[in-house]
Amino acid sequence: MPETGNNSEIKADIDLIDEIFDISQSESYHLSIQIAEKGLSFCIFNTVISKYIVLRHYQFAGLNTLIDSCKKIFETDELLQASYKSCWCLEVSSRSTLVPERFFDSSDAEEYLSFNHGVKKNEQVMHNFVSGAQLYNVFSVPLEIKILLEEYHPKLKWFHHASPFIEWMMLHPQPASPITLHFYGGYMDILLIKNKQLLLYNTFEVNTPADSIYFLAGVLSLHKMSLSSTSVSYAGELKESPLYVEMIRKYVLRINECEPFSTITYSHYLIESMRKRFINLFNLYGCAS
């Protein structure tokens, strides 16, 4: 597998680059970045042939802050420093608020977020439209992170991870699975869609496998649905949380992994498990473009 650059200070945990990748052609590529508390990931999409050709993932060192880790990565990764046709960033966070389109006013965005989560110092409140559900997703980004990334990519567009998650499931619901779960960094998103209507999206902190079934059962009970007769689909960082899925499997009718875009081509290095683990990152361009 071809490699590029010399990342001496910080090394990628996942580094998958297709043979056809050519950094001199970067201005015909799209760059999607994902920022999470525990790591930074990015993928590169060749817009000419509609193919994902790069995936890199960095796991943050426990002693480094989020901003310090991101600075080191951007200072040493030549792929992040290149110019692209377009660049979008996905903020992975449990702090977001959904507002129906008819009630949304951009001047009140900070108030919407503050009502549910409060607004922290030194953060920028943002929003993006989720067309499949006809609502706005309001979230925040640490101001230092925003300034850092926009130094390298001034036209960067920002999204919350729930946006491609909801958009994809609204447009392409999983067969016979009204409930979809997404796991990441100690949290679980629950999405409930019935008859092409978004009934619920919420985020829950899960510290043990029992937490996952507790919150799932509570959501189903609220909507008068039976745990034993409901099918569930899931995605996310399940490499780190297999026990959560196994716990749920004991109680639900069936549980299956979500499927990413079938119309998109992927490098042969980007195996199915990688595409599912980073499903929101890979789905971002198709859902928001």
Side-chain angles (χ1 to χ4, degrees):
M1 184 185 313
E3 297 183 358
T4 60
N6 55 23
N7 205 343
S8 58
E9 291 190 27
I10 186 166
K11 185 177 180 181
D13 298 271
I14 299 172
D15 192 6
L16 305 173
I17 304 175
D18 194 275
E19 293 91 345
I20 67 170
F21 174 77
D22 182 353
I23 197 168
S24 69
Q25 301 298 313
S26 65
E27 292 193 0
S28 66
Y29 300 157
H30 168 82
L31 172 67
S32 289
I33 304 170
Q34 177 174 288
I35 302 284
E37 182 180 347
K38 295 184 179 180
L40 182 151
S41 315
F42 68 87
C43 60
I44 296 174
F45 182 69
N46 185 323
T47 62
V48 176
I49 61 172
S50 296
K51 183 177 184 179
Y52 279 105
I53 54 177
V54 172
L55 171 65
R56 271 188 182 168
H57 171 70
Y58 294 90
Q59 195 76 16
F60 293 155
L63 298 178
N64 293 332
T65 65
L66 175 65
I67 185 63
D68 287 342
S69 297
C70 288
K71 281 181 178 178
K72 288 182 179 179
I73 293 169
F74 271 84
E75 288 170 357
T76 55
D77 193 313
E78 78 290 353
L79 300 191
L80 288 173
Q81 297 169 5
S83 296
Y84 292 90
K85 181 178 181 179
S86 56
C87 180
W88 296 351
C89 186
L90 200 63
E91 169 79 358
V92 179
S93 166
S94 62
R95 299 173 65 243
S96 72
T97 296
L98 302 180
V99 182
E101 182 183 18
R102 63 184 179 275
F103 299 127
F104 182 79
D105 187 327
S106 59
S107 63
D108 294 327
E110 185 170 319
E111 189 174 340
Y112 298 141
L113 184 66
S114 180
F115 181 79
N116 285 325
H117 300 286
V119 176
K120 300 178 180 179
K121 291 183 179 180
N122 301 318
E123 69 176 7
Q124 177 82 44
V125 176
M126 300 182 174
H127 59 270
N128 51 254
F129 186 58
V130 183
S131 61
Q134 295 296 295
L135 53 80
Y136 283 87
N137 190 5
V138 184
F139 61 103
S140 63
V141 174
L143 192 55
E144 285 186 293
I145 294 294
K146 182 177 184 293
I147 292 172
L148 171 67
L149 269 64
E150 291 180 1
E151 285 179 1
Y152 290 90
H153 303 286
K155 296 182 180 180
L156 181 68
K157 292 184 180 180
W158 292 87
F159 298 84
H160 184 266
H161 81 266
S163 297
F165 178 53
I166 295 171
E167 187 77 50
W168 172 241
M169 294 306 159
M170 288 295 296
L171 298 176
H172 305 273
Q174 303 298 301
S177 297
I179 289 277
T180 307
L181 310 177
H182 176 252
F183 294 87
Y184 63 98
Y187 291 90
M188 179 178 72
D189 296 330
I190 299 183
L191 181 64
L192 173 58
I193 298 172
K194 289 189 72 176
N195 300 321
K196 297 184 179 181
Q197 295 294 317
L198 174 62
L199 300 184
L200 177 139
Y201 168 81
N202 209 344
T203 300
F204 301 90
E205 184 174 359
V206 287
N207 297 305
T208 69
D211 291 340
S212 60
I213 196 67
Y214 173 81
F215 291 120
L216 176 58
V219 166
L220 291 174
S221 175
L222 181 66
H223 290 271
K224 296 180 171 54
M225 298 170 65
S226 168
L227 189 66
S228 61
S229 61
T230 300
S231 296
V232 173
S233 57
Y234 66 90
E237 299 177 6
L238 297 173
K239 182 179 180 181
E240 301 175 5
S241 308
L243 295 178
Y244 291 83
V245 175
E246 292 308 311
M247 173 64 76
I248 294 171
R249 196 183 303 277
K250 295 178 181 178
Y251 297 95
V252 300
L253 179 65
R254 69 177 64 87
I255 182 167
N256 301 299
E257 287 186 272
C258 296
E259 297 295 333
F261 270 121
S262 59
T263 55
I264 294 294
T265 304
Y266 296 84
S267 165
H268 61 97
Y269 293 122
L270 301 175
I271 59 175
E272 187 176 9
S273 61
M274 287 294 177
R275 301 200 298 269
K276 292 180 177 179
R277 178 180 173 185
F278 297 96
I279 190 169
N280 291 331
L281 179 63
F282 283 123
N283 280 348
L284 176 61
Y285 185 69
C287 286
S289 59

